[in-house]
């Protein structure tokens, strides 16, 4: 889905890039205000041709991938509503395919889960870089890693499959998220510590439960970790590497996050076991991100910006700043 749709250039120079922008936003369920609607409107002002909107429709809502991995019903409805508004502004004849697609969506039943496809493994790619340097591309079973705010497990699964640490601890706070996280880990051929989960909850057939020592993957655990109520037992997990991606988006949780990092770093410092934190962030709100750095400084935690990857493996929106921080106590920098 990286090439321009066939025949789209008939709609004018650069039309293929515009269609691809809509396609990527649609399948990643980008916000409506992130869609290139102004550019579409500008193009439609000078033409009553429906070709361009027809191409956008074919590469999004009517694309075969949408049948297999459909975005939510609400998202598809809003997306089509925006296309219909732009088309009606041209005064052209109604485009039947638009209204037929909207009718199909309105008749659809909203599922408990929808699919969000990651064309952009943006912060995953950025966070993978220091690990590849640390492990030298070789599986070394000597690092204990704790991930904060694991979500669906995209980052952790990538690290477990490519770097093979000794131990990897996924964490999040919501029970439903933790259940889906375990399912995703098992679906990707990794094994979980059987004491921390119930196989009946995951509905995934566990294959290769008993593997040879040389093929043994990392020891993987999933725990519930509420940043506002961290227990002493959790603080003593003793990870030597802590990671997090896209967790700085709400000013209300910044203090909790800094407090959690401080507790883990202090605990390991007392035990003369150095820890380092790698934190990758899409800088959505510069003020919130600056607040996070200021709060780190207040408690004596230093941060160092690590340069991003020199090559792009995955296509992603490069208009938004992404930053990778290495976080340790200031006197260790």
């Amino acid at each position: 889905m990286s090439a321009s749709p066939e025949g789209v250039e008939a709609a004018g120079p650069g039309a293929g890039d515009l269609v691809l922008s809509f396609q990527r936003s649609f399948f990643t369920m980008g916000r409506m205000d992130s869609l290139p609607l102004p550019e579409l409107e500008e193009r439609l002002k000078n033409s009553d041709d429906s070709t361009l909107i027809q191409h956008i429709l074919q590469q999004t809502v009517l694309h075969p991938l949408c049948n297999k991995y459909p975005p939510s019903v609400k998202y598809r409805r809003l997306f089509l509503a925006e296309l219909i508004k732009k088309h009606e502004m041209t005064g052209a004849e109604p485009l039947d395919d638009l209204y037929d697609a909207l009718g199909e969506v309105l008749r659809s039943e909203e599922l408990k889960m929808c699919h969000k496809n990651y064309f952009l493994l943006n912060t995953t790619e950025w966070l993978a870089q220091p690990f590849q340097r640390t492990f030298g591309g070789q599986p070394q079973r000597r690092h204990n890693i704790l991930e904060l705010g694991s979500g669906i497990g995209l980052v952790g699964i990538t690290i477990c499959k490519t770097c093979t640490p000794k131990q990897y601890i996924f964490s999040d706070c919501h029970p439903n998220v933790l259940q889906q996280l375990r399912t995703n880990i098992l679906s990707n051929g990794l094994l979980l510590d059987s004491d921390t989960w119930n196989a009946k909850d995951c509905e995934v057939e566990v294959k290769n439960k008993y593997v040879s020592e040389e093929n043994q993957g990392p020891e993987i655990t999933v725990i519930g970790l509420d940043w506002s109520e961290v227990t002493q037992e959790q603080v003593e997990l003793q990870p030597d590497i802590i990671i997090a991606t896209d967790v700085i988006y709400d000013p209300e949780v910044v203090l909790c996050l800094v407090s959690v990092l401080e507790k883990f770093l202090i605990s390991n410092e007392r035990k003369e076991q150095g820890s380092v934190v790698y934190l990758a962030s899409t800088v959505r709100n510069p003020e919130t991100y600056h607040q996070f750095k200021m709060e780190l400084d207040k408690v004596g935690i230093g941060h160092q910006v690590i340069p991003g990857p020199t090559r792009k493996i995955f296509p992603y929106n490069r208009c938004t700043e992404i930053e990778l921080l290495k976080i340790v106590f200031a006197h260790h920098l």
Side-chain angles (χ1 to χ4, degrees):
M1 295 176 63
S2 59
S4 296
E6 186 177 352
V8 72
E9 291 303 335
D17 291 337
L18 181 61
V19 172
L20 285 175
S21 294
F22 271 97
Q23 185 187 63
R24 287 174 177 170
S25 292
F26 175 79
F27 282 108
T28 56
M29 290 178 62
R31 288 167 29 175
M32 290 295 118
D33 59 8
S34 72
L35 295 173
L37 292 168
E39 185 178 345
L40 174 62
E41 183 177 339
E42 190 63 31
R43 285 176 173 272
L44 294 176
K45 282 180 181 178
N46 303 317
S47 173
D48 61 358
D49 187 0
S50 300
T51 304
L52 184 54
I53 287 184
Q54 183 71 52
H55 278 296
I56 293 172
L57 189 62
Q58 290 292 337
Q59 297 301 317
T60 54
V61 180
L62 301 183
H63 195 282
L65 186 62
C66 190
N67 293 328
K68 188 175 182 181
Y69 301 114
S72 69
V73 169
K74 179 180 179 181
Y75 186 84
R76 283 177 284 158
R77 175 174 56 79
L78 293 174
F79 183 88
L80 285 167
E82 291 293 339
L83 287 187
I84 289 172
K85 280 194 293 185
K86 296 305 178 191
H87 184 261
E88 289 178 343
M89 289 174 58
T90 67
E93 289 294 319
L95 190 58
D96 290 343
D97 286 349
L98 268 176
Y99 296 97
D100 289 343
L102 181 60
E104 288 295 323
V105 170
L106 293 176
R107 286 193 292 269
S108 300
E109 181 180 353
E110 187 71 90
L111 302 175
K112 292 182 179 179
M113 293 189 300
C114 63
H115 296 272
K116 182 169 183 177
N117 297 280
Y118 286 87
F119 291 93
L120 41 82
L121 302 182
N122 46 12
T123 48
T124 303
E125 180 177 327
W126 280 59
L127 193 55
Q129 180 184 244
F131 287 98
Q132 293 297 339
R133 285 205 302 262
T134 300
F135 297 123
Q138 301 297 322
Q140 300 181 17
R141 307 180 191 282
R142 59 188 178 86
H143 289 281
N144 296 324
I145 301 175
L146 167 66
E147 182 182 1
L148 301 176
S150 298
I152 62 172
L154 183 63
V155 172
I157 291 170
T158 301
I159 291 173
C160 289
K161 299 279 279 189
T162 60
C163 296
T164 319
K166 178 182 178 182
Q167 180 186 42
Y168 198 97
I169 304 172
F170 293 82
S171 74
D172 215 294
C173 65
H174 197 286
N176 291 344
V177 173
L178 295 173
Q179 180 175 330
Q180 184 62 50
L181 176 56
R182 294 185 182 98
T183 299
N184 292 346
I185 292 169
L186 295 171
S187 297
N188 280 274
L190 297 169
L191 296 181
L192 270 168
D193 180 354
S194 59
D195 293 334
T196 63
W197 65 289
N198 186 339
K200 294 180 181 179
D201 294 336
C202 297
E203 298 181 355
V204 174
E205 181 182 356
V206 181
K207 299 180 180 179
N208 302 323
K209 184 174 182 180
Y210 301 102
V211 294
S212 62
E213 184 175 348
E214 58 269 21
N215 293 325
Q216 183 73 44
E219 178 186 335
I220 298 176
T221 307
V222 175
I223 65 170
L225 181 61
D226 186 334
W227 297 349
S228 62
E229 300 177 358
V230 180
T231 66
Q232 186 60 36
E233 181 182 2
Q234 291 170 332
V235 170
E236 293 177 355
L237 289 171
Q238 297 184 352
D240 50 305
I241 296 176
I242 300 172
I243 69 170
T245 60
D246 278 341
V247 293
I248 306 171
Y249 54 84
D250 185 349
E252 294 184 5
V253 303
V254 164
L255 290 177
C256 291
L257 175 58
V258 171
S259 175
V260 168
L261 296 178
E262 183 184 20
K263 288 175 181 177
F264 277 107
L265 290 172
I266 289 176
S267 176
N268 283 5
E269 183 92 347
R270 287 172 177 168
K271 296 169 185 174
E272 298 183 352
Q273 176 184 332
S275 288
V276 61
V277 179
Y278 290 105
L279 193 147
S281 297
T282 301
V283 185
R284 295 178 176 84
N285 187 319
E287 291 184 3
T288 302
Y289 194 62
H290 179 69
Q291 179 191 351
F292 170 71
K293 290 182 175 179
M294 293 291 290
E295 295 298 334
L296 288 177
D297 291 339
K298 287 180 182 179
V299 295
I301 298 178
H303 60 271
Q304 171 187 343
V305 178
I306 297 179
T310 55
R311 63 191 182 100
K312 304 293 191 298
I313 301 173
F314 305 104
Y316 57 84
N317 182 0
R318 298 182 177 95
C319 297
T320 306
E321 182 184 359
I322 302 171
E323 191 167 84
L324 175 62
L325 297 180
K326 178 181 180 181
I327 300 172
V328 295
F329 275 120
H331 60 270
H332 288 316
L333 286 176

